[in-house]
């Protein structure tokens, strides 16, 4: 397998676009990525789209609008990990040598608002919806490790502070610790400002292998690792609340091995903070701190912009927004630009190694159905 | 890229299963494929599922039931070409060396019956549904090349005759030319028996590369080519009725080039006969006969079992059934078994080269959004 590089990135400002078609705003992200890469669109051999609610052949409908047709087009669904899974798939196409240049797009128009349960998804029917599931994990963390409500809320404060510096974030407004704690309870201890909003969005990257990747831009970013894994049945049965810890830990460990790097090498990360507790657990599962110490990490400012390991400088799911299939790709857009030094007020100075992590597809019996970790290097 | 082989195949009997969950019958197909391969399930590194209506992370729900979890699981959507696209993706995973063994599953529970139009799919809203679209193409072929209603109907007679020999077909009953012509008109000249039924189904293959592929069975089948392409904007504008001819021709030509083979090398084929005219056009687009001669080919019995180039010996979409995402995979199940000489009464003797073709994802402006061609060899 050959090296694969991100040679262009694009996104729209995340937000609510009830009047815009998915085809329209996803096309805007694709055009931005193509322009950023400078690559001739005629060189793109394959396009992979990650989405959950776009309907049949949604990627084809997007590219039809751009006249970018005739190529290999694939739609990938893996719930909140759909964008990461699309990048993983596009990477296979280029790493294998089948295509020299591929387009990877994550997009979602959250037409249905909340995510409805699948048929047979008995846990959700019984009330164990995603907010409830994450709330239980937060409670358990509090009981076992002494995580405090304030530490949890600080994740939201930190990410909204970053989002306020990101002109593409859905919410560009700081919130105080008091505001987070006093906001409406959704599933205690998670308050409204600790749950991601309902956001439409699209993001795209152009990836390339071989000679082409070295010619188009001065600062291309290497995909040093890409891993996709699912939760394990036996672990979920042992401890339903920590099965996500297991999938994140395994997916992260495989990525570190593939990249030949470890947690201490990471300079900046984007992780799955659909709920504040998700980010705390990500710290621990990805080895940013020992287990149980995630609350302290955010409290000490380690993961803030300016800290030792800034996490979610984009504003994360809590402030940038979380359009399911778009998330895995927009994380890589943010991290590519961080490595390229293009992030203005929220720039992490001198970042050389970046990590992106998404998880999703709640599946009773195995926890999460899909998780991806990508490690990018300059 | 390394060679990839089909080392196991499985399917359920196609039919209507309103009382069975998708997870249940797709799991049955997976178990059959695993048993057929003889491979230790623990060696499977990735599973790719093709479906359109399974809901979020449907593949994960299927494998959860089998306890086959922790691995890389991906869901692929490409309408009627979803199964072929899943195989293409699984092939990339193995050909690249990322995984040694992969599972590819096509499945569909046709919960919604007919395929509803996508938002913004203006042609369908105006009445150009799939039957209408294919009917127009049949009319055009009649006007331009003199295709007769009887030739068209003979495709259904032929495929039902084959289906009657397939214990896994939805309909295992021969029909006469008179019955086909006299059945209820759906979109003239297409009568009911010239349109595929609404069928639930699932099919699976285990694919492998490297040493493993050579150890598990005596008669493994090589994937000599796999191509995925979409319709082209400019061609669809030039001639909306022949844009599918274009995508099939380009996808087939690329597959022949990849395999180093040509149409005259093909011993047996499975093609997209969702409507009878689809099979006639496939003959021409894939080079089985000159353009305009498709009707004569079926009339002369060339594509019947016992003919020079049997097409759709499984019974095809018309008799085996057409569960969208399952079709691209079940074609490969049938052809693998044909090459292995395991097809009993419908066996094509001595077949060494087989071709599978699906097309789908009607997208106004580009015709079909996805088409795959796979060439299998012994």
């Amino acid at each position: 397998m050959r090296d694969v590089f991100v040679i262009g990135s694009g996104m729209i400002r995340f937000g609510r676009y009830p009047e815009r078609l998915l085809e329209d705003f996803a096309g805007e992200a694709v055009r931005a990525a193509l322009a950023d890469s400078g690559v001739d669109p005629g060189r793109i051999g394959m396009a992979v789209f990650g989405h959950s609610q776009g309907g049949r052949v949604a990627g084809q409908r997007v590219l039809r609008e751009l006249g970018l047709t005739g190529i290999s087009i694939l739609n990938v669904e893996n719930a909140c990990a759909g964008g990461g899974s699309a990048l993983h798939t596009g990477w296979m196409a280029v790493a294998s040598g089948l295509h020299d240049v591929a387009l990877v797009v994550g997009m979602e128009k959250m037409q249905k608002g909340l995510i409805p349960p699948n048929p047979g998804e008995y846990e959700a029917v019984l009330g164990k919806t995603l907010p409830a599931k994450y709330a239980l994990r937060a409670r358990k963390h509090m009981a076992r490790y002494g995580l405090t409500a304030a530490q949890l809320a600080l994740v939201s404060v930190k990410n909204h502070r970053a989002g306020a510096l990101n002109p593409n974030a859905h919410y560009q407004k700081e919130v105080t610790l008091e505001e987070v704690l006093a906001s409406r309870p959704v599933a205690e201890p998670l308050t409204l400002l600790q749950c991601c909003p309902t956001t439409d969005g699209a993001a795209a990257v152009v990836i390339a292998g071989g000679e082409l990747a070295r010619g188009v831009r001065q600062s291309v970013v290497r995909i040093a690792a890409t891993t996709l894994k699912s939760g394990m049945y036996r672990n979920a049965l042992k401890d339903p609340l920590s099965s996500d810890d297991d999938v994140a830990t395994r997916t992260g460990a495989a990525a570190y091995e593939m990249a030949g790097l470890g947690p201490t090498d990471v300079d900046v990360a984007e992780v799955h903070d659909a709920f504040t507790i998700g980010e705390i657990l990500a710290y621990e599962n990805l080895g940013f701190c020992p287990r149980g110490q995630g609350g302290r990490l955010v409290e000490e400012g380690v993961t803030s912009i300016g800290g030792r390991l800034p996490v979610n400088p984009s504003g994360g799911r809590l402030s940038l927004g979380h359009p399911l299939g778009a998330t895995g790709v927009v994380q890589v857009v943010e991290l590519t630009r961080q490595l390229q030094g293009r992030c203005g007020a929220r720039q992490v100075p001198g970042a050389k190694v970046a990590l992106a992590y998404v998880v999703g597809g709640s599946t009773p019996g195995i926890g999460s159905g899909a998780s991806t970790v990508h490690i990018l290097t300059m």
Side-chain angles (χ1 to χ4, degrees), chain A:
Chain A
M1 287 180 283
R2 63 177 170 176
D3 280 348
V4 180
F5 300 85
V6 180
I7 65 167
S9 61
M11 68 180 293
I12 63 160
R13 179 178 170 179
F14 281 21
R16 288 296 284 157
Y17 299 112
E19 305 300 324
R20 292 183 76 179
L21 284 175
L22 174 69
E23 290 85 336
D24 168 44
F25 68 70
E28 182 185 327
V30 171
R31 268 191 296 267
L34 288 171
D36 188 56
S37 74
V39 80
D40 174 359
R43 303 208 58 164
I44 292 172
M46 183 171 199
V48 186
F49 288 76
H51 60 93
S52 279
Q53 304 185 1
R56 282 192 319 286
V57 292
Q60 283 85 338
R61 301 200 316 271
V62 172
L63 293 188
R64 181 256 316 269
E65 299 298 311
L66 303 180
L68 190 59
T69 55
I71 63 173
S72 179
I73 307 177
L74 188 71
N75 294 275
V76 160
E77 196 285 318
N78 251 353
C80 300
S85 300
L87 182 58
H88 185 74
T89 306
W91 173 87
M92 289 198 300
V94 176
S96 69
L98 185 65
H99 296 290
D100 287 329
V101 187
L103 174 69
V104 177
V105 186
M107 60 187 191
E108 211 76 68
K109 180 166 171 162
M110 300 292 285
Q111 305 183 45
K112 295 169 190 162
L114 286 178
I115 309 174
N118 271 314
E121 216 178 279
Y122 47 84
E123 288 188 351
V125 172
L126 293 172
K128 197 177 164 197
T129 57
L130 280 174
K133 176 181 159 186
Y134 276 97
L136 286 169
R137 299 175 72 203
R139 285 258 184 230
K140 184 173 175 178
H141 204 285
M142 288 172 153
R144 184 174 292 173
Y145 301 112
L147 176 74
T148 68
Q151 287 172 335
L152 203 53
L154 278 173
V155 172
S156 180
V157 174
K158 170 181 76 68
N159 292 358
H160 278 88
R161 199 184 307 133
L165 302 175
N166 184 354
N168 284 325
H170 187 173
Y171 291 100
Q172 298 173 26
K173 184 174 175 297
E174 295 195 24
V175 294
T176 65
L177 179 61
E178 293 66 35
E179 284 170 332
V180 175
L181 289 170
S183 63
R184 182 162 65 79
V186 170
E188 290 176 280
L190 302 175
T191 58
L192 185 68
L193 287 171
Q194 300 190 51
C195 306
C196 61
T198 300
T199 303
D200 304 325
V205 291
V206 181
I207 61 175
E211 285 310 303
L212 187 67
R214 296 172 194 283
V216 283
R217 280 193 71 87
Q218 288 202 306
S219 55
V220 296
V221 166
R222 180 167 165 259
I223 300 176
T226 168
T227 50
L228 165 63
K229 292 192 182 290
S230 56
M232 292 191 82
Y233 191 66
R234 64 167 193 274
N235 293 330
L237 288 185
K238 250 188 297 182
D239 184 350
L241 289 182
S242 69
S243 59
D244 273 4
D245 298 337
D246 167 68
V247 70
T249 303
R250 285 186 299 108
T251 312
Y256 288 132
E257 188 187 338
M258 185 172 179
L261 295 168
T264 55
D265 296 310
V266 178
D267 298 315
V268 57
E270 285 275 324
V271 307
H272 204 77
D273 61 329
F275 302 94
T276 46
I277 181 65
E279 179 166 326
I280 297 282
L281 294 169
Y283 296 162
E284 302 175 12
N285 297 326
L286 297 169
F288 296 167
C289 66
R291 194 156 298 283
Q293 300 301 304
R296 187 174 300 178
L297 207 68
V298 66
E299 195 173 48
E300 291 173 352
V302 172
T303 55
S304 299
I305 295 173
R308 179 174 52 78
L309 169 46
V311 173
N312 288 329
S314 71
R317 286 7 85 201
L318 291 165
S319 182
L320 171 65
H322 178 31
L324 312 188
T327 288
V329 180
V330 82
Q331 287 184 338
V332 170
V333 169
E334 172 71 14
L335 294 176
T336 295
R337 293 173 176 194
Q338 286 285 353
L339 295 179
Q340 291 170 332
R342 297 163 67 186
C343 286
R346 67 184 191 286
Q347 178 66 44
V348 177
K352 298 287 179 204
V353 176
L355 182 148
Y357 157 66
V358 284
V359 65
S362 188
T363 310
I366 64 171
S368 285
S371 170
T372 64
V373 171
H374 288 89
I375 297 177
L376 308 176
T377 58
M378 273 310 272

